[in-house]
Amino acid sequence: MIMQNDLQRQFSLYSGEYEKKAIEVLRSGWYILGKEVEQFEKEWADYIGCKYCVGLASGLDSLWISVHLLNIGPGDEVIVCANAYIACIMGITINDAVPVFVEPDRYGNIDAQKIESVITPKTKAILAVHLYGQACDMTVIMEIAHQYNLQVIEDCAQSHGGLWRGKKTGAFGKVGCFSFYPSKNLGAFGDAGCIVTNDEELAKKFRIFRNYGSEKRYHNQVIGRNSRLDELQAGLLRIKLTHLDKLNAERCKIAGRYMDGITNPIIRLPQVRPGAYPVWHQFVIRCKERDELIGYLDRYGIKTLIHYPILPYLSEAYGYLGKKEGDHPIAERYAKEILSLPLYNGMKEKEITMVIDAVNGFDPTG
Ligand SMILES: *Cc1c(COP(=O)(O)O)cnc(C)c1O
C-alpha cells in the first residue's frame, strides 16, 4: 500500500538525531520558554530573512493572534482566497472580523487581479495563503496593499522555505504565520506554530500575548492567552530545520517525476507560477472524474486525499455568513476536481513509479 503521507518514513531519516535531542530536553528539567525556543526563534527568523520570530502553540493561534494584534476586529473585512483552509477563515472570524472571499487563479491561490474589486472602506487586510507550498503573486498583493493602506498577513503553514522571486514566503507581509503541525514541510512532533515579522513592537506584543499578557512574571499588561511553543518541540524543530532544504529538495524531485511522468490527457497537472519556487506541500492534480479516480487508485493500494473537499463558506460552521453554492464557481469547480497524490519524504523510487503508472492507466470510459 502507498499512503498519501507517511510521517514514520520522514522520522526514520534522522531518527537518531531526534531521539538524542528529545532526551537532552527531557533531562534538562526546563520545558517552557527556555533556550531551545530562544534558539529556534533566532534560527527561523534567519532562515526566513526576518528580524523576529515568536514561537506559538499552533498555526491557528499564529493567524488569529495576528489579526487581533493588528487591531482587526468586529465588522472589519479581511480578503482571503475562497478555497483556503478552514483555519485561515477561523483566524479571521475568531476576532469577529468578516472574511471576504476571492476566487483562486489557475495556480490555486488567490487571484490577485480580483482583489481590488472587493475592497471596501471596511477592508483592513489581505490574508495571503500560500496553498500547497506555492507562493501567491506577492508583487501584485503588496502593490495593492500599499495603494489602499491594507495590512498583509501571510499564511505560510504549507510553504516553509517556498520562494517568491527569490525571497522566502513569510518575509513580505507585516506578519508571516507558520504552523508546525506534524504533516507540514517543517513539522514538529505535536502542535506548534510561530510568527515572523520585522516590526519590533509587534514582535514584543506577540511575546507578551502568548504568555498571559506578561513579559515579567506576575506583571500582566494585557489579557493574553497561553500560546507558547514548548522546549521539546522547539528542540526537535531545530534538528529538522538543519535538514529542511534537503527535505524540500526531495519533495521537488518527486513532484518533478510526477510532472514528467504523468501523461494521461484527462489529468491536469499543477501549474507553477513564473517567479515562484514551490516546496510541494501537496501535489494537487485535477480530474473531472475525480471520484472515480480515487476509487481506481484505491484498488491499486494508492491512497489519496482532497485538500479540501468542502469550501469553508459552504461548511456548516459558516452558515451564518449566508453564502451559497454558486457564489464562487471557480473555487467550487476546483473542490470537485482536485486530488492530492502521495508525496512525502522517504518515498521510494518504485512507489513514485507505481503512482505514475496507475494514474496513466486510468480510463473512466474503459
Ligand atoms: C495547517 C494549516 C493551518 C493551521 O495550523 P494548525 O497548526 O493546525 O493550527 C492554517 N493554515 C493553513 C494553510 C494550514 O495548512
Side-chain angles (χ1 to χ4, degrees):
M1 193 182 66
I2 302 176
M3 306 220 295
Q4 203 274 338
N5 189 8
D6 186 345
L7 294 178
Q8 224 162 22
R9 292 275 185 89
Q10 187 185 126
F11 171 70
S12 67
L13 294 175
Y14 310 107
S15 56
E17 291 176 59
Y18 297 129
E19 286 166 10
K20 185 162 167 273
K21 178 57 85 174
I23 289 171
E24 183 190 319
V25 176
L26 291 178
R27 288 180 178 164
S28 75
W30 195 276
Y31 308 117
I32 300 288
L33 297 184
K35 75 171 203 323
E36 297 292 346
V37 170
E38 215 171 280
Q39 285 305 317
F40 174 72
E41 288 176 343
K42 281 204 183 82
E43 289 158 9
W44 189 245
D46 268 3
Y47 182 82
I48 299 300
C50 276
K51 285 194 193 141
Y52 309 98
C53 166
V54 182
L56 299 167
S58 74
L60 176 60
D61 278 4
S62 73
L63 290 165
W64 83 257
I65 298 172
S66 293
V67 171
H68 172 72
L69 293 180
L70 291 174
N71 298 316
I72 299 167
D76 292 338
E77 293 176 357
V78 178
I79 294 170
V80 65
C81 201
N83 61 329
Y85 181 47
I86 194 115
C88 315
I89 314 309
M90 290 184 180
I92 298 167
T93 59
I94 285 170
N95 294 285
D96 294 323
V98 181
V100 173
F101 298 103
V102 169
E103 290 271 37
D105 57 20
R106 75 175 107 147
Y107 308 102
N109 279 325
I110 191 165
D111 190 335
Q113 305 302 331
K114 294 181 180 160
I115 291 177
E116 258 185 292
S117 67
V118 300
I119 293 175
T120 75
K122 289 181 185 165
T123 309
K124 291 281 152 52
I126 302 167
L127 175 56
V129 185
H130 307 300
L131 214 56
Y132 311 141
Q134 170 154 240
C136 304
D137 187 335
M138 291 312 293
T139 307
V140 172
I141 290 173
M142 294 311 292
E143 272 167 20
I144 295 170
H146 188 75
Q147 195 184 333
Y148 291 88
N149 199 20
L150 305 175
Q151 303 280 12
V152 173
I153 302 169
E154 292 177 77
D155 181 339
C156 315
Q158 303 188 1
S159 68
H160 313 76
L163 304 174
W164 173 249
R165 297 191 173 161
K167 188 166 149 180
K168 295 250 166 63
T169 55
F172 291 87
K174 187 76 174 171
V175 198
C177 300
F178 289 89
S179 163
F180 303 121
Y181 183 80
S183 64
K184 311 294 189 188
N185 289 41
L186 182 69
F189 297 81
D191 276 309
C194 80
I195 61 95
V196 295
T197 182
N198 285 316
D199 184 326
E200 188 179 358
E201 273 305 301
L202 187 61
K204 196 176 156 188
K205 284 184 186 166
F206 275 99
R207 268 178 226 294
I208 292 170
F209 194 82
R210 74 171 170 189
N211 193 31
Y212 306 127
S214 82
E215 207 177 13
K216 201 172 145 209
R217 193 176 276 198
Y218 308 129
H219 288 71
N220 301 78
Q221 305 166 42
V222 296
I223 301 170
R225 293 291 190 281
N226 173 353
S227 180
R228 298 174 299 225
L229 173 64
D230 67 68
E231 286 286 286
L232 189 56
Q233 299 305 335
L236 295 169
L237 284 167
R238 290 183 65 203
I239 303 289
K240 198 175 274 187
L241 176 52
T242 64
H243 303 296
L244 179 60
D245 287 340
K246 274 177 291 180
L247 292 167
N248 279 338
E250 185 189 8
R251 302 180 87 96
C252 292
K253 208 178 127 228
I254 299 167
R257 290 270 280 111
Y258 283 159
M259 287 291 213
D260 294 341
I262 297 173
T263 52
N264 191 332
I266 66 166
I267 303 292
R268 277 172 188 260
L269 290 166
Q271 294 187 53
V272 176
R273 189 192 301 281
Y277 168 79
V279 288
W280 300 103
H281 177 63
Q282 297 296 347
F283 190 90
V284 180
I285 59 170
R286 281 170 47 205
C287 176
K288 286 207 165 58
E289 296 81 12
R290 192 263 319 267
D291 295 337
E292 284 131 288
L293 178 58
I294 293 171
Y296 163 88
L297 291 174
D298 195 60
R299 287 195 289 281
Y300 278 83
I302 296 167
K303 305 295 173 193
T304 54
L305 285 173
I306 302 167
H307 298 94
Y308 300 93
I310 299 173
L311 294 165
Y313 70 84
L314 295 177
S315 71
E316 204 184 330
Y318 287 110
Y320 77 88
L321 291 174
K323 300 198 55 102
K324 57 183 190 315
E325 199 138 349
D327 282 354
H328 303 286
I330 299 173
E332 289 169 25
R333 178 158 49 84
Y334 286 0
K336 290 190 178 83
E337 295 181 359
I338 52 174
L339 190 66
S340 305
L341 296 181
L343 193 159
Y344 51 86
N345 292 111
M347 200 172 171
K348 297 192 181 87
E349 192 57 37
K350 71 168 194 294
E351 292 170 327
I352 302 167
T353 304
M354 275 173 68
V355 174
I356 292 169
D357 291 347
V359 170
N360 283 340
F362 175 59
D363 178 6
T365 63

